[in-house]
Amino acid sequence: MDWLEPSELRVGLGCMRLPDERTGIATIEAALEAGITVFDTARAYDGNEQLLARALRGRVARVVTKGGMTHIDGRWMPDGRAKTIRSDCESSLAALDGLPIDLFLVHAPDPRTPWRTTVRALGRLLDEGVVRRIGVSNVNRGQL
């Protein structure tokens, strides 16, 4: 196995637990200064995409975000229906205020929706050029 040189390694910041706006922006700015170029967020992280958009404006960075979740009775639940995947992606694009989505992931498989339905919805986003890349998160080997 060839080892990657440090200059080839990609380091990202998971933005799920960013605190208030001031501290969140300072954290993202510190990450940028340290050479981090990949930022992972999700529609389910309340206000997180908007915060990331403000902090990354005019900077070189890659955005990874996730969709396919619905808020029910105070909890986020997987929702892999095609209309939810599309709607979540469009909401993320609006929240990111012009930043492109470099990688859009389905946040978690929905046991109520056929997996192929969810994956096809992701594929349409890619085929239509809405996002640059697609992927999955929180899947098991069979789903992968």
Side-chain angles (χ1 to χ4, degrees):
M1 174 179 186
D2 293 332
W3 291 98
L4 293 174
E5 294 297 322
S7 64
E8 296 173 302
L9 294 176
R10 302 290 187 251
V11 179
L13 176 67
C15 298
M16 181 172 131
R17 302 222 190 275
L18 290 177
D20 61 81
E21 182 171 349
R22 186 176 63 83
T23 306
I25 288 177
T27 300
I28 293 166
E29 288 174 351
L32 287 162
E33 289 173 22
I36 291 175
T37 58
V38 177
F39 295 85
D40 181 290
T41 186
R43 188 171 123 49
Y45 309 158
D46 190 36
N48 201 277
E49 292 170 324
Q50 294 91 333
L51 176 69
L52 197 58
R54 286 191 296 279
L56 294 181
R57 182 73 48 224
R59 308 296 285 269
V60 176
R62 301 280 186 237
V63 174
V64 177
T65 194
K66 296 173 282 301
M69 300 287 279
T70 298
H71 204 241
I72 301 172
D73 296 329
R75 294 181 24 212
W76 285 99
M77 304 289 292
D79 186 345
R81 295 174 298 168
K83 70 179 186 176
T84 301
I85 299 297
R86 167 69 61 170
S87 175
D88 282 0
C89 184
E90 290 172 356
S91 294
S92 291
L93 285 167
L96 290 165
D97 193 29
L99 292 177
I101 296 175
D102 294 289
L103 176 60
F104 187 78
L105 306 172
V106 64
H107 205 133
D110 176 0
R112 299 163 300 160
T113 302
W115 187 231
R116 73 178 49 91
T117 298
T118 302
V119 173
R120 283 185 185 136
L122 286 173
R124 278 192 293 279
L125 295 174
L126 182 65
D127 292 345
E128 295 169 11
V130 177
V131 298
R132 292 180 174 165
R133 291 174 186 82
I134 55 170
V136 296
S137 182
N138 298 302
V139 298
N140 63 36
R141 186 184 304 236
Q143 292 159 329
L144 186 59

